[in-house]
Amino acid sequence: MAATEVARQTEEGTRTVPLGGHVGFDSMPDQLVNKSVSGGFCFNILCVGETGIGKSTLMDTLFNTRFEGEPVSHDQPGVRLQSHTYDLQESNVHLKLTVVNTVGFGDQINKEDSYKSIVEFIDAQFEAYLQEELKIKRTLHTYHDTRVHACLYFIAPTGHSLKSLDLVTMKKLDSKVNIIPIIAKSDAVSKTELTKFKIKIASELVSNGVQIYQFPTDDETVAEINSTMNNESHCDFVKLREMLVRVNMEDLREQTHARHYELYRRCKLEEMGFKDTDPESKPFSLQETYEAKRQEFLGELQKEEEEMRQTFVQRAGGSTTLKKEKERKNCAGYAF
């Protein structure tokens, strides 16, 4: 409050309340930070790659810890997803980290359907969140969000080109999750070969229309470092840790909700018959949509009941006719 206003009110005899300190809404960011820190954060990583390519080792090194897990053989009958959740703490910040591993990926002779289990898992997490969101009494503030925020796709360091399995899988996943390609065990390849391999990978991803996660450059505080990363076709470990953990973790969470989940949610609601506008592009409320679907359902139900009734009448009529015909023949057989 300005000093002149206080003086004016004092002259008019109005009681004044002295301020104990600064008052303003510029403290809102601090309030949001305190609230977020007290509630903790969650982050879910999906690691896609063949058995023995180094997924577990990379995750241990990224978060400087030892995650549980047992060695997996190459004779898995199919692809299954194995999920583990850990409670981590750094300073006063709590993080609930979920690591999902694709066990048996790429081990089968027929790899045609290897991606299906992964797609189904991602969709299942979206569906669980949608069901919670559609409840009358929602508890999203305490809900454990299991939606996948980042997909680290491990590429074998062949030095030649991407496998067809890699291209097909990434193409199926790019609309559902933020894909970050990783060249596994890149230290086993010379710098010259690695550079050529990176150029080859980037070219193949573009020519096949695969959309990978682009580090945001609209924020001035991270624009320079993210611009450098967007010119890389894979992440060196140090850069990966910088980009994934320190700089862009929140953006990955935001992209998951605003882009991938919203696409899934819209498609599911459209499949259920819900829409925002009527045929004339006028606003259509949820209640109107519900009533329209309810009337449509009741109409179909009534139609089915009528068809069942007609079928029953026809069958009952046929049975009566056959019974009368049988009785007539029996009577004829006993005539003198």
Side-chain angles (χ1 to χ4, degrees):
M1 185 180 294
T4 54
E5 295 182 40
V6 175
R8 186 181 304 113
Q9 290 186 1
T10 303
E11 293 173 358
E12 296 174 355
T14 306
R15 183 175 66 89
T16 61
V17 179
L19 299 178
H22 173 72
V23 176
F25 55 81
D26 58 354
S27 64
M28 279 294 294
D30 296 329
Q31 296 177 38
L32 291 174
V33 169
N34 293 335
K35 184 177 181 180
S36 298
V37 169
S38 63
F41 303 89
C42 71
F43 192 68
N44 309 315
I45 300 178
L46 170 65
C47 298
V48 181
E50 300 174 7
T51 303
I53 204 169
K55 301 186 295 292
S56 299
T57 302
L58 179 66
M59 293 305 301
D60 289 347
T61 311
L62 270 178
F63 290 92
N64 194 27
T65 186
R66 180 69 178 176
F67 296 117
E68 61 184 274
E70 299 178 356
V72 180
S73 63
H74 289 268
D75 57 354
Q76 300 294 320
V79 180
R80 62 184 177 87
L81 280 86
Q82 192 176 65
S83 178
H84 296 285
T85 301
Y86 311 91
D87 290 317
L88 306 180
Q89 182 174 353
E90 187 172 281
S91 298
N92 64 330
V93 178
H94 294 267
L95 177 68
K96 182 172 286 188
L97 175 69
T98 299
V99 180
V100 185
N101 189 21
T102 51
V103 179
F105 181 78
D107 289 341
Q108 296 74 39
I109 296 177
N110 183 4
K111 302 177 176 62
E112 183 178 355
D113 298 333
S114 296
Y115 67 86
K116 287 188 176 180
S117 299
I118 305 174
V119 171
E120 290 172 357
F121 177 85
I122 296 174
D123 284 346
Q125 312 319 306
F126 283 152
E127 183 64 25
Y129 191 89
L130 178 61
Q131 291 302 320
E132 180 65 29
E133 195 177 49
L134 293 177
K135 286 182 179 179
I136 295 176
K137 186 177 180 181
R138 300 181 298 177
T139 56
L140 290 175
H141 61 288
T142 58
Y143 176 76
H144 179 204
D145 186 1
T146 58
R147 295 173 297 177
V148 179
H149 300 121
C151 171
L152 301 184
Y153 196 98
F154 290 74
I155 301 170
T158 61
H160 302 294
S161 61
L162 289 170
K163 298 179 181 180
S164 58
L165 173 64
D166 297 329
L167 287 172
V168 171
T169 303
M170 282 194 277
K171 186 61 181 174
K172 294 291 183 180
L173 297 180
D174 66 357
S175 64
K176 297 179 176 293
V177 68
N178 301 309
I179 299 177
I180 302 176
I182 306 292
I183 297 179
K185 301 180 179 178
S186 58
D187 54 350
V189 185
S190 67
K191 291 184 177 180
T192 303
E193 292 176 337
L194 188 60
T195 301
K196 292 180 180 179
F197 191 34
K198 287 195 281 185
I199 296 173
K200 182 68 174 177
I201 290 175
S203 175
E204 290 183 334
L205 291 176
V206 172
S207 61
N208 286 275
V210 178
Q211 301 292 322
I212 64 173
Y213 173 72
Q214 294 295 315
F215 297 100
T217 58
D218 52 349
D219 187 348
E220 294 181 358
T221 59
V222 296
E224 183 177 352
I225 189 171
N226 279 344
S227 296
T228 303
M229 287 304 302
N230 285 333
N231 292 325
E232 300 261 356
S233 55
H234 90 295
C235 303
D236 293 330
F237 170 73
V238 176
K239 293 180 180 178
L240 172 64
R241 186 172 186 178
E242 182 85 355
M243 294 300 95
L244 182 65
V245 179
R246 192 181 74 85
V247 179
N248 298 303
M249 183 177 283
E250 181 56 32
D251 184 72
L252 287 163
R253 285 160 40 95
E254 183 180 338
Q255 286 292 320
T256 298
H257 182 80
R259 179 186 171 195
H260 301 298
Y261 171 69
E262 281 300 316
L263 177 60
Y264 176 86
R265 178 180 178 274
R266 183 171 72 245
C267 291
K268 289 294 291 186
L269 292 179
E270 287 176 351
E271 288 177 6
M272 296 166 62
F274 291 95
K275 50 191 175 181
D276 294 328
T277 57
D278 60 15
E280 298 179 357
S281 299
K282 295 181 179 180
F284 209 53
S285 69
L286 181 64
Q287 181 64 28
E288 291 173 326
T289 304
Y290 169 77
E291 288 297 333
K293 294 297 295 182
R294 180 173 178 273
Q295 293 301 323
E296 180 182 348
F297 172 76
L298 291 176
E300 292 178 354
L301 184 63
Q302 186 176 5
K303 181 180 178 181
E304 290 178 1
E305 289 179 349
E306 181 63 22
E307 291 176 351
M308 292 177 63
R309 189 183 70 82
Q310 292 293 339
T311 302
F312 176 77
V313 171
Q314 292 175 1
R315 290 180 178 177
S319 299
T320 303
T321 302
L322 289 174
K323 184 177 181 180
K324 289 183 179 180
E325 181 66 18
K326 186 176 181 180
E327 290 176 350
R328 186 185 66 78
K329 289 183 178 179
N330 289 338
C331 291
Y334 287 104
F336 293 99

